[in-house]
Amino acid sequence: MPVPLLDLRAQHARIKDEVVRALLQVVDDQLFILGAPVEQLERAVAELSHTRFAIGCASGTDALLLALRVLNIGRGDEVITTPFTFFATAGTIHNVGATPVFADIDPATFNLSTAHARAAATPQTRAVVPVDLFGQMAPLEELAAALPHLPLIEDAAQSIGARRRLDGEWMMAGERATIGTFSFFPSKNLGGYGDGGMVVTQDERLATRLRKLRVHGGATQYFHEEVGYNSRLDALQAAVLLAKLPYLAEWSARRREHAAYYDQAFADLADVRTPTIDARNESIYNQYTLRAERRDALQEHLKGRGIGSAIYYPLPLHRQPCFAYLGYREGTCPEAERAAREVLSLPVYPELTRAQQDETIAAVRSFYGR
Ligand SMILES: Cc1ncc(COP(=O)(O)O)c(C=O)c1O
Protein backbone atom coordinates (compact mmCIF):
# COMPACT_ATOMS: atom_id res chain seq x y z
CA MET A 1 0.00 0.00 0.00
CA PRO A 2 1.49 3.37 -0.93
CA VAL A 3 1.92 5.85 1.91
CA PRO A 4 2.06 9.46 0.71
CA LEU A 5 3.90 12.08 2.73
CA LEU A 6 0.65 14.04 2.87
CA ASP A 7 -2.84 13.10 1.72
CA LEU A 8 -4.99 16.21 1.41
CA ARG A 9 -7.65 14.30 -0.50
CA ALA A 10 -8.31 12.13 2.56
CA GLN A 11 -8.88 15.28 4.63
CA HIS A 12 -11.06 16.91 1.99
CA ALA A 13 -13.24 13.81 1.70
CA ARG A 14 -14.23 14.18 5.35
CA ILE A 15 -15.05 17.89 5.29
CA LYS A 16 -16.11 18.35 1.68
CA ASP A 17 -19.78 19.24 2.36
CA GLU A 18 -18.92 21.94 4.91
CA VAL A 19 -16.18 23.45 2.76
CA VAL A 20 -18.27 23.50 -0.41
CA ARG A 21 -21.19 25.07 1.45
CA ALA A 22 -18.89 27.81 2.78
CA LEU A 23 -17.42 28.44 -0.67
CA LEU A 24 -20.86 28.64 -2.27
CA GLN A 25 -21.94 31.20 0.30
CA VAL A 26 -19.11 33.50 -0.79
CA VAL A 27 -19.99 32.90 -4.44
CA ASP A 28 -23.66 33.67 -3.77
CA ASP A 29 -22.73 36.84 -1.85
CA GLN A 30 -20.31 37.89 -4.63
CA LEU A 31 -18.11 39.57 -2.00
CA PHE A 32 -14.62 38.29 -2.74
CA ILE A 33 -12.32 40.94 -1.27
CA LEU A 34 -11.96 41.02 2.53
CA GLY A 35 -15.46 41.15 4.10
CA ALA A 36 -17.19 38.91 6.63
CA PRO A 37 -15.31 35.58 6.29
CA VAL A 38 -11.93 37.32 6.53
CA GLU A 39 -13.01 39.34 9.59
CA GLN A 40 -14.47 36.24 11.23
CA LEU A 41 -11.27 34.27 10.64
CA GLU A 42 -9.17 37.15 11.96
CA ARG A 43 -11.18 37.15 15.19
CA ALA A 44 -10.87 33.36 15.51
CA VAL A 45 -7.11 33.32 14.93
CA ALA A 46 -6.59 36.21 17.37
CA GLU A 47 -8.50 34.22 19.97
CA LEU A 48 -6.57 31.03 19.26
CA SER A 49 -3.21 32.78 19.48
CA HIS A 50 -4.13 34.90 22.54
CA THR A 51 -3.48 38.09 20.62
CA ARG A 52 -5.49 41.29 20.37
CA PHE A 53 -5.22 41.74 16.61
CA ALA A 54 -5.02 39.51 13.55
CA ILE A 55 -4.69 40.75 9.98
CA GLY A 56 -5.26 38.39 7.05
CA CYS A 57 -2.92 38.68 4.08
CA ALA A 58 -2.05 36.86 0.87
CA SER A 59 0.52 34.35 2.17
CA GLY A 60 2.89 33.47 4.99
CA THR A 61 5.61 35.12 2.95
CA ASP A 62 3.66 38.36 2.76
CA ALA A 63 2.94 38.14 6.49
CA LEU A 64 6.71 38.27 7.08
CA LEU A 65 7.14 41.06 4.54
CA LEU A 66 4.39 43.15 6.17
CA ALA A 67 5.87 42.52 9.62
CA LEU A 68 9.30 43.72 8.51
CA ARG A 69 7.82 46.76 6.77
CA VAL A 70 5.68 47.82 9.72
CA LEU A 71 8.79 47.74 11.91
CA ASN A 72 10.47 50.09 9.41
CA ILE A 73 13.21 47.59 8.62
CA GLY A 74 15.09 48.30 5.41
CA ARG A 75 18.39 49.24 3.89
CA GLY A 76 21.37 49.18 6.23
CA ASP A 77 19.55 47.11 8.84
CA GLU A 78 20.50 43.62 9.98
CA VAL A 79 17.96 40.98 10.95
CA ILE A 80 19.04 37.85 12.79
CA THR A 81 17.40 34.59 11.80
CA THR A 82 17.96 30.86 11.46
CA PRO A 83 19.51 29.31 8.37
CA PHE A 84 17.47 26.13 8.84
CA THR A 85 14.03 27.15 7.65
CA PHE A 86 11.93 27.63 4.53
CA PHE A 87 13.41 30.20 2.17
CA ALA A 88 10.78 32.89 2.76
CA THR A 89 12.04 33.60 6.28
CA ALA A 90 15.22 35.13 4.90
CA GLY A 91 14.03 36.01 1.39
CA THR A 92 11.68 38.61 2.85
CA ILE A 93 14.50 40.17 4.91
CA HIS A 94 16.49 40.56 1.70
CA ASN A 95 13.45 41.88 -0.17
CA VAL A 96 12.88 44.79 2.24
CA GLY A 97 16.50 45.76 1.58
CA ALA A 98 17.90 44.53 4.89
CA THR A 99 20.68 41.99 5.51
CA PRO A 100 19.83 38.53 6.81
CA VAL A 101 22.27 37.51 9.56
CA PHE A 102 22.27 33.77 10.07
CA ALA A 103 22.81 32.36 13.56
CA ASP A 104 23.12 28.62 14.12
CA ILE A 105 20.42 26.34 15.49
CA ASP A 106 20.00 24.33 18.65
CA PRO A 107 20.73 20.78 17.43
CA ALA A 108 18.06 19.30 19.73
CA THR A 109 15.05 21.25 18.44
CA PHE A 110 16.37 22.61 15.09
CA ASN A 111 15.22 26.07 16.26
CA LEU A 112 17.32 29.25 16.46
CA SER A 113 19.85 29.04 19.30
CA THR A 114 19.53 31.90 21.77
CA ALA A 115 23.28 31.94 22.43
CA HIS A 116 24.11 32.14 18.72
CA ALA A 117 21.45 34.81 18.16
CA ARG A 118 22.90 36.91 20.99
CA ALA A 119 26.43 36.52 19.60
CA ALA A 120 25.24 37.67 16.14
CA ALA A 121 23.82 40.99 17.37
CA THR A 122 25.53 44.21 16.27
CA PRO A 123 24.60 47.90 16.57
CA GLN A 124 22.89 47.51 13.15
CA THR A 125 20.57 44.69 14.29
CA ARG A 126 16.93 45.79 14.13
CA ALA A 127 15.00 42.56 14.73
CA VAL A 128 15.18 38.81 15.32
CA VAL A 129 13.09 36.33 13.33
CA PRO A 130 12.89 33.00 15.16
CA VAL A 131 10.98 30.22 13.38
CA ASP A 132 8.74 27.72 15.16
CA LEU A 133 10.06 24.89 13.02
CA PHE A 134 8.15 21.70 12.23
CA GLY A 135 5.42 22.62 14.75
CA GLN A 136 7.33 23.43 17.93
CA MET A 137 7.88 26.89 19.29
CA ALA A 138 11.25 28.57 19.43
CA PRO A 139 12.40 29.81 22.86
CA LEU A 140 10.67 33.19 22.53
CA GLU A 141 11.05 34.16 26.17
CA GLU A 142 14.78 33.34 26.16
CA LEU A 143 15.37 35.35 23.00
CA ALA A 144 13.41 38.27 24.44
CA ALA A 145 15.47 38.15 27.64
CA ALA A 146 18.78 37.84 25.76
CA LEU A 147 18.02 40.66 23.30
CA PRO A 148 15.52 42.84 25.15
CA HIS A 149 15.96 45.89 22.92
CA LEU A 150 15.02 44.04 19.70
CA PRO A 151 11.54 43.28 18.32
CA LEU A 152 10.78 39.61 17.67
CA ILE A 153 8.99 38.52 14.51
CA GLU A 154 7.90 34.95 15.22
CA ASP A 155 7.63 32.99 11.97
CA ALA A 156 4.92 30.56 13.09
CA ALA A 157 4.05 29.50 9.52
CA GLN A 158 4.35 25.84 10.56
CA SER A 159 2.98 26.18 14.08
CA ILE A 160 -0.52 27.61 14.38
CA GLY A 161 -1.94 26.41 17.69
CA ALA A 162 1.43 25.25 19.04
CA ARG A 163 2.08 26.24 22.64
CA ARG A 164 4.76 26.49 25.30
CA ARG A 165 4.30 26.21 29.05
CA LEU A 166 5.99 28.97 31.05
CA ASP A 167 5.52 29.39 34.80
CA GLY A 168 2.43 27.17 34.65
CA GLU A 169 0.78 29.19 31.85
CA TRP A 170 0.40 28.21 28.21
CA MET A 171 1.87 30.71 25.78
CA MET A 172 0.52 30.32 22.24
CA ALA A 173 2.49 30.62 19.02
CA GLY A 174 2.36 34.30 18.09
CA GLU A 175 1.36 35.49 21.57
CA ARG A 176 4.65 36.73 23.00
CA ALA A 177 6.31 38.10 19.87
CA THR A 178 6.12 41.70 18.72
CA ILE A 179 4.50 40.26 15.59
CA GLY A 180 3.63 36.64 14.81
CA THR A 181 3.10 35.34 11.28
CA PHE A 182 1.09 32.35 10.02
CA SER A 183 0.83 30.61 6.67
CA PHE A 184 -2.24 28.84 5.34
CA PHE A 185 -0.31 27.08 2.56
CA PRO A 186 -2.22 23.84 1.85
CA SER A 187 0.32 21.58 3.60
CA LYS A 188 0.12 23.46 6.90
CA ASN A 189 -1.93 22.06 9.81
CA LEU A 190 -4.54 24.69 8.91
CA GLY A 191 -4.22 24.85 5.14
CA GLY A 192 -6.37 26.69 2.62
CA TYR A 193 -7.22 25.69 -0.92
CA GLY A 194 -4.53 28.03 -2.22
CA ASP A 195 -2.29 30.67 -0.64
CA GLY A 196 -3.09 32.63 2.49
CA GLY A 197 -1.46 34.12 5.55
CA MET A 198 -2.02 36.13 8.72
CA VAL A 199 -0.18 38.52 11.01
CA VAL A 200 -0.94 38.74 14.74
CA THR A 201 0.11 41.32 17.31
CA GLN A 202 -0.83 42.77 20.69
CA ASP A 203 0.06 46.29 19.50
CA GLU A 204 -2.85 48.37 18.22
CA ARG A 205 -0.62 50.88 16.46
CA LEU A 206 1.13 48.15 14.51
CA ALA A 207 -2.21 46.47 13.71
CA THR A 208 -3.68 49.70 12.32
CA ARG A 209 -0.70 50.25 10.06
CA LEU A 210 -0.60 46.59 8.98
CA ARG A 211 -4.22 46.89 7.81
CA LYS A 212 -3.20 49.83 5.68
CA LEU A 213 -0.04 48.22 4.33
CA ARG A 214 -2.01 45.25 2.98
CA VAL A 215 -4.21 47.59 0.88
CA HIS A 216 -1.58 49.78 -0.79
CA GLY A 217 -0.82 51.86 2.30
CA GLY A 218 -4.02 53.85 2.65
CA ALA A 219 -6.87 53.77 5.16
CA THR A 220 -9.17 55.54 2.70
CA GLN A 221 -9.47 54.31 -0.86
CA TYR A 222 -7.38 56.32 -3.34
CA PHE A 223 -5.52 58.18 -0.56
CA HIS A 224 -2.12 56.75 0.41
CA GLU A 225 -0.10 57.73 3.47
CA GLU A 226 2.63 55.35 2.34
CA VAL A 227 3.34 52.78 -0.34
CA GLY A 228 2.00 49.40 0.64
CA TYR A 229 1.02 46.17 -1.11
CA ASN A 230 -1.94 44.33 -2.52
CA SER A 231 -1.82 41.54 0.04
CA ARG A 232 -5.28 40.55 1.16
CA LEU A 233 -6.49 37.19 2.35
CA ASP A 234 -8.95 35.99 -0.27
CA ALA A 235 -12.54 35.68 1.02
CA LEU A 236 -12.82 32.22 -0.58
CA GLN A 237 -9.73 31.08 1.32
CA ALA A 238 -11.07 32.57 4.55
CA ALA A 239 -14.30 30.61 4.06
CA VAL A 240 -12.36 27.35 3.60
CA LEU A 241 -10.19 28.07 6.63
CA LEU A 242 -13.20 28.92 8.81
CA ALA A 243 -14.78 25.60 7.87
CA LYS A 244 -11.55 23.77 8.75
CA LEU A 245 -10.64 25.65 11.93
CA PRO A 246 -12.95 23.66 14.27
CA TYR A 247 -10.95 20.52 13.34
CA LEU A 248 -7.49 21.99 13.90
CA ALA A 249 -7.06 20.90 17.52
CA GLU A 250 -8.20 17.35 16.76
CA TRP A 251 -5.95 17.11 13.70
CA SER A 252 -2.92 18.33 15.63
CA ALA A 253 -3.69 15.85 18.43
CA ARG A 254 -3.79 13.03 15.85
CA ARG A 255 -0.38 14.13 14.60
CA ARG A 256 0.95 13.98 18.17
CA GLU A 257 -0.42 10.44 18.53
CA HIS A 258 1.28 9.38 15.31
CA ALA A 259 4.53 10.99 16.49
CA ALA A 260 4.39 9.14 19.81
CA TYR A 261 3.82 5.86 17.95
CA TYR A 262 6.84 6.46 15.71
CA ASP A 263 8.97 7.49 18.72
CA GLN A 264 8.22 4.19 20.39
CA ALA A 265 8.70 2.14 17.23
CA PHE A 266 12.14 3.61 16.56
CA ALA A 267 13.35 3.76 20.17
CA ASP A 268 15.69 0.78 19.77
CA LEU A 269 17.24 1.93 16.47
CA ALA A 270 20.72 3.32 17.08
CA ASP A 271 20.83 4.75 13.54
CA VAL A 272 17.77 6.93 13.98
CA ARG A 273 17.24 9.90 16.30
CA THR A 274 13.57 10.70 16.82
CA PRO A 275 12.54 14.37 17.19
CA THR A 276 13.30 16.14 20.46
CA ILE A 277 10.46 18.27 21.73
CA ASP A 278 11.49 20.76 24.42
CA ALA A 279 9.79 19.73 27.68
CA ARG A 280 8.03 23.12 27.75
CA ASN A 281 6.56 22.68 24.28
CA GLU A 282 3.49 21.03 22.85
CA SER A 283 4.25 20.50 19.17
CA ILE A 284 1.64 20.41 16.45
CA TYR A 285 4.00 18.22 14.35
CA ASN A 286 3.59 19.93 11.02
CA GLN A 287 6.47 17.58 10.25
CA TYR A 288 7.81 14.48 11.99
CA THR A 289 11.51 14.90 11.33
CA LEU A 290 14.13 12.29 12.19
CA ARG A 291 17.88 12.36 12.02
CA ALA A 292 19.00 9.25 10.18
CA GLU A 293 22.31 7.54 9.44
CA ARG A 294 22.73 7.08 5.66
CA ARG A 295 19.76 9.38 5.19
CA ASP A 296 19.79 9.51 1.38
CA ALA A 297 19.92 5.73 1.06
CA LEU A 298 17.09 5.42 3.57
CA GLN A 299 14.99 7.79 1.52
CA GLU A 300 15.65 5.75 -1.64
CA HIS A 301 14.72 2.59 0.25
CA LEU A 302 11.41 4.15 1.36
CA LYS A 303 10.70 5.41 -2.12
CA GLY A 304 11.18 1.89 -3.48
CA ARG A 305 8.45 0.74 -1.11
CA GLY A 306 6.03 3.51 -2.08
CA ILE A 307 6.54 5.50 1.11
CA GLY A 308 6.70 9.26 0.86
CA SER A 309 9.30 11.29 2.76
CA ALA A 310 10.96 14.65 2.33
CA ILE A 311 14.11 16.51 3.25
CA TYR A 312 13.31 19.79 4.98
CA TYR A 313 15.81 21.35 4.26
CA PRO A 314 18.63 20.07 2.04
CA LEU A 315 20.66 23.31 1.83
CA PRO A 316 20.74 25.79 4.72
CA LEU A 317 20.00 29.36 3.76
CA HIS A 318 23.48 30.74 4.53
CA ARG A 319 24.79 28.39 1.80
CA GLN A 320 22.20 29.25 -0.87
CA PRO A 321 23.68 30.66 -4.10
CA CYS A 322 21.49 33.78 -3.84
CA PHE A 323 23.09 34.62 -0.48
CA ALA A 324 26.68 34.05 -1.63
CA TYR A 325 27.07 37.85 -1.47
CA LEU A 326 26.82 37.61 2.31
CA GLY A 327 30.08 35.63 2.39
CA TYR A 328 29.18 32.71 4.67
CA ARG A 329 31.58 29.82 4.22
CA GLU A 330 30.90 26.18 4.89
CA GLY A 331 31.25 25.53 8.60
CA THR A 332 29.85 28.88 9.76
CA CYS A 333 26.59 27.33 10.99
CA PRO A 334 27.75 23.73 11.56
CA GLU A 335 24.59 22.50 13.28
CA ALA A 336 22.35 23.72 10.47
CA GLU A 337 24.69 22.09 7.97
CA ARG A 338 24.67 18.80 9.89
CA ALA A 339 20.88 18.88 10.17
CA ALA A 340 20.62 19.40 6.41
CA ARG A 341 22.65 16.20 5.90
CA GLU A 342 20.72 14.10 8.42
CA VAL A 343 17.04 15.05 8.48
CA LEU A 344 14.17 13.12 6.97
CA SER A 345 10.47 13.84 7.46
CA LEU A 346 7.99 10.95 7.49
CA PRO A 347 4.21 10.93 6.91
CA VAL A 348 2.41 12.27 10.00
CA TYR A 349 -0.81 13.76 8.59
CA PRO A 350 -3.93 13.20 10.71
CA GLU A 351 -5.69 10.76 8.35
CA LEU A 352 -2.67 8.40 8.22
CA THR A 353 -3.97 4.96 9.19
CA ARG A 354 -2.32 2.63 11.67
CA ALA A 355 -1.67 0.15 8.83
CA GLN A 356 0.07 2.87 6.79
CA GLN A 357 2.14 3.87 9.79
CA ASP A 358 3.09 0.26 10.52
CA GLU A 359 4.19 -0.10 6.92
CA THR A 360 6.33 3.02 7.17
CA ILE A 361 7.88 1.78 10.41
CA ALA A 362 8.59 -1.66 8.95
CA ALA A 363 10.26 -0.07 5.92
CA VAL A 364 12.52 2.11 8.09
CA ARG A 365 13.41 -0.83 10.31
CA SER A 366 14.13 -3.13 7.38
CA PHE A 367 16.61 -0.59 5.98
CA TYR A 368 18.62 -0.91 9.18
CA GLY A 369 18.28 -4.71 9.15
CA ARG A 370 15.76 -4.82 12.02
C1 LIG B 1 8.84 28.60 8.11
C2 LIG B 1 8.07 29.17 6.96
N1 LIG B 1 8.09 30.50 6.76
C3 LIG B 1 7.39 31.07 5.76
C4 LIG B 1 6.62 30.31 4.91
C5 LIG B 1 5.94 30.99 3.77
O1 LIG B 1 4.57 30.79 3.76
P1 LIG B 1 3.75 30.83 2.37
O2 LIG B 1 4.11 29.61 1.60
O3 LIG B 1 2.34 30.85 2.82
O4 LIG B 1 4.14 32.08 1.68
C6 LIG B 1 6.55 28.92 5.11
C7 LIG B 1 5.72 28.02 4.31
O5 LIG B 1 5.62 27.79 3.21
C8 LIG B 1 7.31 28.33 6.14
O6 LIG B 1 7.30 27.01 6.34
Side-chain angles (χ1 to χ4, degrees), residues 59-62 64 85-86 88-89 131 133 155 157-158 183-185 188 195-196 313:
S59 66
T61 303
D62 274 11
L64 288 163
T85 174
F86 179 66
T89 314
V131 178
L133 203 70
D155 181 347
Q158 303 180 4
S183 162
F184 302 124
F185 188 79
K188 303 303 194 238
D195 279 308
Y313 297 93

Side-chain angles (χ1 to χ4, degrees), residues 1 14 25 48 68 86 105 113 125 140 153 157 160 164 203 210 221 227 251 264 297-298 310 319 323 326 362 368:
M1 148 191 32
R14 180 174 166 205
Q25 186 64 55
L48 173 67
L68 291 158
F86 179 66
I105 56 168
S113 142
T125 310
L140 269 287
I153 299 173
I160 190 164
R164 182 170 174 87
D203 185 322
L210 283 162
Q221 207 176 15
V227 179
W251 287 335
Q264 209 175 6
L298 170 62
R319 299 291 294 150
F323 290 134
L326 295 171
Y368 293 111

Side-chain angles (χ1 to χ4, degrees), residues 240-364:
V240 171
L241 294 162
L242 275 171
K244 290 177 88 172
L245 187 60
Y247 296 98
L248 176 63
E250 176 199 324
W251 287 335
S252 295
R254 287 288 294 157
R255 287 170 181 267
R256 278 191 291 278
E257 283 167 26
H258 295 330
Y261 191 66
Y262 277 139
D263 284 351
Q264 209 175 6
F266 298 138
D268 64 326
L269 293 186
D271 292 323
V272 157
R273 290 244 308 274
T274 55
T276 302
I277 305 302
D278 183 310
R280 293 162 288 190
N281 277 343
E282 182 180 78
S283 176
I284 63 159
Y285 283 99
N286 184 240
Q287 301 297 340
Y288 180 86
T289 304
L290 300 166
R291 287 181 188 264
E293 291 291 326
R294 295 181 284 134
R295 187 268 318 270
D296 292 344
L298 170 62
Q299 189 176 34
E300 272 305 303
H301 176 84
L302 295 178
K303 193 173 163 199
R305 282 161 180 69
I307 292 166
S309 66
I311 297 168
Y312 302 117
Y313 297 93
L315 184 64
L317 300 188
H318 67 292
R319 299 291 294 150
Q320 294 287 341
C322 66
F323 290 134
Y325 74 95
L326 295 171
Y328 289 88
R329 287 186 309 280
E330 197 171 346
T332 38
C333 295
E335 289 300 345
E337 292 163 28
R338 189 160 71 90
R341 289 192 299 271
E342 295 180 355
V343 290
L344 191 67
S345 299
L346 298 181
V348 73
Y349 60 90
E351 298 77 15
L352 187 71
T353 65
R354 184 47 63 89
Q356 287 175 309
Q357 220 187 343
D358 283 338
E359 195 156 320
T360 306
I361 290 164
V364 171

Side-chain angles (χ1 to χ4, degrees), residues 25-103:
Q25 186 64 55
V26 177
V27 173
D28 285 345
D29 293 344
Q30 289 288 298
L31 295 172
F32 299 110
I33 304 299
L34 298 176
V38 174
E39 284 166 24
Q40 214 180 318
L41 185 71
E42 288 174 342
R43 281 196 296 277
V45 171
E47 194 179 329
L48 173 67
S49 57
H50 297 174
T51 53
R52 292 179 63 208
F53 306 99
I55 298 101
C57 62
S59 66
T61 303
D62 274 11
L64 288 163
L65 194 66
L66 290 165
L68 291 158
R69 274 293 307 275
V70 82
L71 294 172
N72 300 316
I73 291 165
R75 196 159 310 195
D77 297 338
E78 294 178 0
V79 178
I80 296 170
T81 192
T82 162
F84 196 61
T85 174
F86 179 66
F87 181 74
T89 314
T92 47
I93 297 170
H94 170 96
N95 278 343
V96 295
T99 303
V101 173
F102 295 109

